[in-house]
Amino acid sequence: DQQVKQNSPSLSVQEGRISILNCDYTNSMFDYFLWYKKYPAEGPTFLISISSIKDKNEDGRFTVFLNKSAKHLSLHIVPSQPGDSAVYFCAASGGLYNFNKFYFGSGTKLNVKP
Amino acid sequence: DSGVTQTPKHLITATGQRVTLRCSPRSGDLSVYWYQQSLDQGLQFLIQYYNGEERAKGNILERFSAQQFPDLHSELNLSSLELGDSALYFCASSVEGRSYNEQFFGPGTRLTVL
């Protein structure tokens, strides 16, 4: 039972344009959400997070939006750069029974074309 | 470099065998997490330790076990290996193990079961 889903396995955008990566979750008890970036042959690295008390968090070119009613979050990258090409995972945690467990999506491979 | 080390980088073994994966957390981090990433899938949370004690458990098989030692390094033991256990195994560490603490991932151990 996959509680966090990334339905787009890949995304291709032009350099300088906006990249939008989407993520859906099913467990309404999740209260903390994260995005990780992963390059080949490396472990994931933390990118940005958001708690359920907010609906937006911004860090430079990266913004995460959370829509709790739709159980949906998205990561916006503006402007996209070739160095952003990587696999992006969303993750969720929190809740009474899931406090220290993390649930990851299957990832979206972003390709930013020069 | 996240500061988290994992050994070995690659491991090839046969079905029915037992292997041990090792993880050294970042200096000062008390919590260690283990994840499994099978082909084209997201990261599956296996287990978390904090200062030597098991803190949270995910979908870890009974054939798998882990522990965190007094020097805070951790080992993941996989026994009676099956073909389906072939995967990338990541270790991550964080300061206190709370959901809000950033996790730093190691480069992973690639296990191939033949």
Side-chain angles (χ1 to χ4, degrees):
Chain A
D1 179 25
Q2 208 172 355
Q3 299 193 45
V4 176
K5 295 180 183 178
Q6 293 175 258
N7 293 318
S8 298
S10 63
L11 175 68
S12 186
V13 299
Q14 206 66 38
E15 179 179 6
R17 305 295 292 270
I18 184 171
S19 295
I20 300 177
L21 294 90
N22 294 303
C23 179
D24 296 296
Y25 62 96
T26 57
N27 191 335
S28 57
M29 297 297 287
F30 288 149
D31 61 6
Y32 189 58
F33 305 88
L34 311 92
W35 284 92
Y36 283 84
K37 180 163 90 170
K38 184 182 181 304
Y39 292 117
E42 295 182 10
T45 55
F46 170 76
L47 193 57
I48 192 169
S49 64
I50 188 168
S51 78
S52 59
I53 62 172
K54 293 185 173 183
D55 54 17
K56 176 183 174 182
N57 188 27
E58 199 170 347
D59 184 2
R61 297 185 297 113
F62 303 91
T63 303
V64 55
F65 295 91
L66 175 62
N67 183 332
K68 289 185 289 291
S69 60
K71 295 191 182 70
H72 177 83
L73 65 155
S74 60
L75 174 68
H76 292 209
I77 306 174
V78 184
S80 301
Q81 300 173 353
D84 295 330
S85 297
V87 177
Y88 290 79
F89 292 99
C90 68
S93 183
L96 183 62
Y97 301 106
N98 303 322
F99 184 73
N100 287 320
K101 295 182 185 179
F102 285 81
Y103 296 85
F104 282 74
S106 54
T108 296
K109 186 174 184 178
L110 174 65
N111 179 35
V112 180
K113 296 177 287 186
Chain B
D1 185 356
S2 66
V4 178
T5 59
Q6 289 187 248
T7 56
K9 284 191 176 180
H10 301 277
L11 195 49
I12 301 175
T13 188
T15 55
Q17 295 298 305
R18 173 190 169 95
V19 297
T20 297
L21 312 183
R22 183 188 169 103
C23 169
S24 292
R26 289 190 326 154
S27 176
D29 284 358
L30 298 178
S31 189
V32 169
Y33 306 76
W34 285 99
Y35 294 88
Q36 178 194 54
Q37 185 185 17
S38 301
L39 189 65
D40 293 333
Q41 293 193 17
L43 284 79
Q44 299 290 322
F45 170 80
L46 295 178
I47 199 163
Q48 180 202 7
Y49 282 85
Y50 173 77
N51 206 19
E53 293 188 7
E54 183 183 305
R55 185 88 175 257
K57 206 165 186 176
N59 296 326
I60 186 168
L61 299 173
E62 286 190 13
R63 300 183 285 108
F64 296 1
S65 65
Q67 59 184 123
Q68 187 180 25
F69 294 85
D71 67 352
L72 301 177
H73 91 273
S74 178
E75 293 181 358
L76 178 67
N77 300 297
L78 315 176
S79 61
S80 302
L81 285 167
E82 302 175 359
L83 296 177
D85 298 327
S86 295
L88 259 175
Y89 291 85
F90 288 104
C91 166
S93 73
S94 71
V95 173
E96 294 182 343
R98 299 168 187 260
S99 292
Y100 305 95
N101 295 135
E102 181 176 345
Q103 293 183 39
F104 295 86
F105 282 77
T109 292
R110 182 172 292 280
L111 173 66
T112 302
V113 182
L114 301 175

